[in-house]
Amino acid sequence: MGQGGEPRRVQAYDGELGAAVARAQEGDESAFAVAYRLVQPGLLGYLRGLVGEDAEDVASDAWLEIARDLGRFRGDGAGFRGWTATIARHRALDHLRRLKVRPRSAALEQDMLDLPGPYSTHDQALESLSTEYALQLVRGLPRDQAEAVLLRVVVGLDGPAAARVLGKRPGAVRTAAYRGLKRLAHELGGGRVTDDGPRTLGEST
């Protein structure tokens, strides 16, 4: 994935975020609001990729748990983003289970991964991921690729942190993110995508 994979703007917030979390753990409610403001946009984007239009509700549940367990958190700003993403992921998977939606297999035929033709740059795919259209495309990826892309790009986690959230080896997450971004770049560049309406990662395509 070239250098890093997490947007510089997210990294720039980590110092401010770490300081806000430390103050919030001491009981400063305004500091918790700062932490929320810094983390929520990426967390919501990640959840939109997992549960679609139910993201706001799942995020609310996640933040209740985050607030309740804040005193147990140990780490810096980047660590807090990873911790909150882990909590949000558990809430999202619980939500999908309640809907009796079985997450589809992460396996994908190799010939589907090696799509033919020229690819746009990964950077172009990254730049476009803030749009709702791009999140719809992400939801069409195999689950392992979609989650890796969302955690690396939307939440802004580095490879090892994303791997911890997913319970996988960093190399596997790096490969999944690379393949997902390659596929997104191809679709964003070629316009070869049909919109079958909103999906969640738990639904088959």
Side-chain angles (χ1 to χ4, degrees):
M1 282 197 49
Q3 296 210 335
E6 63 275 20
R8 283 190 207 89
R9 60 187 165 73
V10 174
Q11 290 177 307
Y13 291 153
D14 279 345
E16 182 184 354
L17 176 58
V21 170
R23 292 196 309 276
Q25 288 180 312
E26 294 168 359
D28 185 337
E29 290 184 12
S30 64
F32 186 82
V34 170
Y36 173 88
R37 191 183 73 242
L38 292 173
V39 171
Q40 172 70 350
L43 206 62
L44 200 55
Y46 175 48
L47 288 170
R48 282 199 187 103
L50 293 177
V51 300
E53 63 189 15
D54 294 329
E56 295 269 6
D57 290 340
V58 174
S60 295
D61 289 344
W63 279 105
L64 286 173
E65 184 173 340
I66 291 162
R68 186 193 72 202
D69 294 343
L70 185 63
R72 299 210 305 245
F73 170 72
R74 297 289 179 271
D76 58 7
F80 186 73
R81 282 191 286 113
W83 183 67
T84 56
T86 300
I87 290 172
R89 181 175 192 263
H90 289 159
R91 296 286 70 78
L93 295 180
D94 286 347
H95 177 79
L96 291 175
R97 275 192 287 270
R98 281 196 299 274
L99 293 177
K100 293 185 169 57
V101 174
R102 297 181 62 81
R104 69 169 182 261
S105 168
L108 189 70
E109 295 298 323
Q110 188 64 34
D111 62 351
M112 287 292 289
L113 290 172
D114 296 330
L115 294 168
Y119 296 98
S120 306
T121 65
H122 288 169
D123 287 343
Q124 180 184 334
L126 299 182
E127 297 273 328
S128 304
L129 280 176
S130 59
T131 67
E132 185 58 37
Y133 171 67
L135 283 173
Q136 287 179 11
L137 294 183
V138 171
R139 288 197 288 270
L141 293 173
R143 187 170 159 227
D144 64 330
Q145 293 179 26
E147 286 208 74
V149 169
L150 289 165
L151 288 171
R152 294 297 303 272
V153 179
V154 179
V155 180
L157 301 183
D158 63 17
R164 283 193 295 275
V165 171
L166 297 174
K168 296 185 175 182
R169 295 187 315 278
V173 174
R174 189 164 53 245
T175 298
Y178 172 80
R179 288 173 170 169
L181 287 171
K182 185 169 83 166
R183 194 167 171 188
L184 283 174
H186 180 70
E187 292 177 344
L188 288 166
R192 227 180 23 82
V193 179
T194 58
D195 185 4
D196 297 320
R199 289 196 296 265
T200 73
L201 288 185
E203 294 173 351
S204 58
T205 53

